[in-house]
Amino acid sequence: MNVQIEKTWEARLAGEFEKPYFYQLAEQVRQEYMQFPCYPPGRLIFNAFNLCPFDKVKVVIIGQDPYHEPGQAMGLSFSVPDGVVLPPSLLNIYKEIADDLGTPVSQSGNLTRWAEQGVLLLNATLTVRAHQANSHQRLGWGTFTDAAIKALSDGRDHLVFMLWGGFARSKKSLIDQQRHCVLESVHPSPLSANRGGWFGQHQFSRCNRYLEEHGEKAIEW
């Protein structure tokens, strides 16, 4: 199957593209985009992979599925285009970064700058029908993105996996914790974060410290 995805990822995930589930997934996604408004735009479905080649990944942040309102989803978990109001979860992420690292809260929700530094902003489900959260969760994307997480765990060393909330933490079994750093917390959404367990965890400084200890440049969050 001809999937338009960055070449190092294509090489690592080639086997997935030939499996029956992926053919079925691709057809279902095609039908959804033909019949309903869906996000992100088709050219951005694999944006997380295209901006962050396999061999450049340093950090993995796992989201659940894309934003489902117009103009928000851009194929990067938690990210919205410039000019879009910051979603509540992202605002809490920024507040924690500011408290942790002493940097000002960014006014832009566009996280392309993170992706280009090696942060894989991976939603477990890569598409969604407009106005319907988790509407594509059962199409088979999870099998594909689990394979990507496993490929990173097995094929790289000393990555940082940031698992926020129960859904992301359920992916921990895919990760070799002897080879990688796993940072867990509650989800940054106000529903979870305001009850405790998000703020004050110093995840971003801990992430950078681990990267530097293993010869990598810290992320400019």
Side-chain angles (χ1 to χ4, degrees):
M1 178 174 287
N2 183 24
V3 177
Q4 300 301 310
I5 192 171
E6 192 275 333
K7 63 182 186 337
T8 61
W9 279 108
E10 183 179 18
R12 291 285 176 164
L13 298 174
E16 299 302 308
F17 301 136
E18 301 306 321
K19 292 179 179 177
Y21 88 86
F22 197 88
Y23 280 89
Q24 183 177 0
L25 166 64
E27 179 57 24
Q28 288 181 296
V29 169
R30 190 178 71 84
Q31 291 293 334
E32 282 282 313
Y33 273 73
M34 286 175 60
Q35 296 178 43
F36 307 101
C38 292
Y39 306 119
R43 62 186 171 78
L44 296 179
I45 290 173
F46 294 106
N47 198 27
F49 300 96
N50 294 336
L51 289 175
C52 193
F54 182 89
D55 296 324
K56 302 295 185 184
V57 175
K58 297 193 284 190
V59 181
V60 182
I61 297 177
I62 299 173
Q64 194 156 350
D65 73 333
Y67 296 119
H68 52 267
E69 296 302 326
Q72 293 182 312
M74 53 184 298
L76 303 174
S77 61
F78 297 99
S79 180
V80 292
D82 289 316
V84 175
V85 174
L86 296 180
S89 292
L90 182 55
L91 183 57
N92 279 342
I93 291 169
Y94 279 173
K95 286 178 179 177
E96 177 59 12
I97 291 170
D99 289 344
D100 188 9
L101 301 176
T103 55
V105 173
S106 175
Q107 300 305 301
S108 170
N110 188 335
L111 302 181
T112 298
R113 66 189 185 280
W114 290 5
E116 291 174 341
Q117 293 178 75
V119 181
L120 181 68
L121 295 161
L122 181 65
N123 279 317
T125 298
L126 298 186
T127 58
V128 69
R129 191 187 295 184
H131 317 303
Q132 297 183 37
N134 298 317
S135 49
H136 287 183
Q137 193 171 29
R138 301 184 191 281
L139 297 188
W141 278 124
T143 303
F144 175 74
T145 53
D146 280 0
I149 295 167
K150 190 76 164 58
L152 285 167
S153 176
D154 294 347
R156 297 287 311 282
D157 289 303
H158 308 310
L159 303 182
V160 179
F161 289 85
M162 304 180 93
L163 307 182
W164 301 338
F167 180 84
R169 292 164 91 167
S170 73
K171 305 296 183 180
K172 187 164 66 170
S173 62
L174 301 169
I175 302 163
D176 183 344
Q177 295 177 69
Q178 302 303 310
R179 297 171 67 172
H180 305 286
C181 174
V182 176
L183 300 176
E184 299 180 63
S185 76
V186 302
H187 196 277
S189 73
L191 288 174
S192 303
N194 294 343
R195 289 193 229 134
W198 170 256
F199 295 109
Q201 301 299 305
H202 302 288
Q203 292 187 68
F204 300 94
S205 58
R206 288 160 62 196
C207 170
N208 279 350
R209 188 160 55 248
Y210 180 86
L211 292 175
E212 290 176 330
E213 286 171 355
H214 293 90
E216 292 286 355
K217 185 178 178 182
I219 303 296
E220 294 182 15
W221 298 105

